[in-house]
Structure formats: C-alpha cells, structure tokens
Amino acid sequence: MIDWYPLWNSLRIAAISCTAVFFLGIPAAYYIARLPRAVKGILDVILTLPMVLPPTVCGYFLLILLGPQRPLGRFLANFGIQFAMTWYGGIVASAVVAFPLMYRTARGAFESFDTTLAYSGQTLGLSNTYIFWRIRMPACRQGILAGTVLAFARALGEYGATSMLIGYVPGRTATISTTVYQLWRTNNEQEAFFWVMVNVVISTVILLAVNMLERRNRKAGGRI
C-alpha cells in the first residue's frame, strides 16, 4: 500500500514556502528596483545567491544558523521551535532556494512597468498604496503569477537543502524528493519510479501553467 505522506508533506511545504516568498519577494523586488544601480547590484547578489549555490551548501548554512547546537537554534528551542529534523524546517529550506525565482521575476515585471501610469495616477490625487495595488500590480500580474508558479515548482522539487536540514523520517519529514532517494538507495526501484512519475506529472502541469501565463502576457503586450 502506497504511503501518501510524502506527497501531502511536499505539497504543504511548497504551498507555505511559496506563500512566504510571495509576500517577501514582491516588496523586496519593488523597493530594490527603485534603488541606485550600485546598491541594487549588491542586494541582487545577496538575494539571488541561493539560486546559484548548490542546494546542499544552502542547507549547510541553514544548519549552521538553525542547528540545535547553534546560538539561534538554542534560543528558538526555548520557545519549542526547532527547524532541524522537523517538517516545517522544510518550509525554511524551500523558501530560501525558491525566493530568488520570485524576486527576480517580480523585479523584472516591475521594471517593465510603464511608470507614466503611476505618474498619471499621482496627478489625479491617488495614493501610492492605491496605485501599487490597483494599477501597478494588475499591470504586472502575469509576471508575478509566473514567478509564483516557478517558486512553487522549485519548492516542490527541492532536495539538497531540505535533506540537509530535515533529513528523511518516514511519516514526519519525508518529501517526494527525499523518498525517491531513500527508495533508490534501498533498491526499491518500483516505488521509487512511482514517485518519480508523480513528480514528473506535477512538474509538467506546472510548466504548462507557466507557458499559458507567458502566452497571455505576450498577447496582452501585443494589444497594448
């Protein structure tokens, strides 16, 4: 009988981490896009570094930061919070590696926004908050949605940082990616192939969604 916990755990980790990087990535992209070039370049390097580092290196840094024997880890343990070897530690690991995708995509969308629309809104007495949510965000929605979908896909398929921080405990921290590795390592190729196909199907659906968003974005740009 198939244990569906890895699928459920992977989906909830990806969903929560994607929500986190959505609300962190959009303001970061919006404000950094408006900074001077030198400052923007430095922050870009810092925020997108997890995208080019090996995921296991990201996991290693997370262990150094949040490990139970580290100062921050011991401090959080006083409040009953432990990220190492817990399923919600996977949220942190997935968010770290997925954040650059959300940030870069959203920043590109904001930089391509026609600022004359914002200036027109200001001349009409509209607040910056109103302009952001009712003018800028709708105009950039396709790029932001694409970034959100890509971040979700990255979080769903995360293995390196996740395995370093939360390991593999059946029924507690197992994800699709870590389950595939463990099944392969124990020569259970049939079940490993099953989970590989589950991941392939989900990833295919996600890529089709991204392609649809890109086509809609091109069509909207053509109408303008």
Side-chain angles (χ1 to χ4, degrees):
M1 183 176 179
I2 299 292
D3 178 14
W4 292 101
Y5 181 83
L7 176 62
W8 152 245
N9 196 36
S10 295
L11 289 174
R12 69 174 172 178
I13 287 175
I16 298 172
S17 61
C18 182
T19 302
V21 300
F22 178 86
F23 287 105
L24 293 173
I26 287 180
Y30 174 68
Y31 288 109
I32 291 175
R34 305 169 67 184
L35 293 174
R37 181 175 299 179
V39 179
K40 182 165 62 175
I42 294 172
L43 292 176
D44 270 347
V45 170
I46 296 173
L47 294 179
T48 58
L49 195 59
M51 188 166 61
V52 296
L53 284 176
T56 50
V57 174
C58 294
Y60 174 78
F61 283 129
L62 288 174
L63 276 176
I64 291 177
L65 181 66
L66 301 172
Q69 303 304 319
R70 302 294 176 174
L72 181 57
R74 289 197 298 267
F75 173 76
L76 292 174
N78 295 327
F79 303 95
I81 301 173
Q82 178 180 328
F83 290 106
M85 302 304 296
T86 59
W87 74 267
Y88 49 86
I91 297 172
V92 178
S94 298
V96 167
V97 298
F99 177 85
L101 288 171
M102 184 72 238
Y103 163 72
R104 297 291 298 209
T105 307
R107 210 197 79 185
F110 287 139
E111 288 179 341
S112 63
F113 174 72
D114 185 0
T115 54
T116 58
L117 296 175
Y119 296 145
S120 299
Q122 290 174 348
T123 60
L124 294 174
L126 301 178
S127 66
N128 289 330
T129 301
Y130 183 95
I131 292 171
F132 179 82
W133 289 109
R134 300 301 296 273
I135 299 176
R136 193 181 299 268
M137 285 290 285
C140 301
R141 68 182 180 278
Q142 299 299 337
I144 292 173
L145 284 173
T148 304
V149 173
L150 287 173
F152 179 84
R154 182 67 185 87
L156 185 66
E158 163 54 28
Y159 172 76
T162 300
S163 62
M164 289 286 288
L165 185 62
I166 69 173
Y168 172 80
V169 181
R172 286 183 54 193
T173 67
T175 64
I176 293 177
S177 299
T178 57
T179 299
V180 168
Y181 175 75
Q182 290 297 325
L183 291 172
W184 171 82
R185 192 174 65 85
T186 56
N187 295 320
N188 192 343
E189 294 189 8
Q190 184 175 357
E191 287 194 27
F193 180 76
F194 170 80
W195 284 112
V196 166
M197 294 310 299
V198 169
N199 212 344
V200 167
V201 170
I202 296 174
S203 299
T204 301
V205 172
I206 291 172
L207 289 175
L208 289 173
V210 171
N211 289 336
M212 290 176 60
L213 290 171
E214 289 179 345
R215 283 198 297 269
R216 289 178 60 184
N217 196 29
R218 286 195 294 269
K219 289 179 180 179
R223 287 195 296 268
I224 294 175

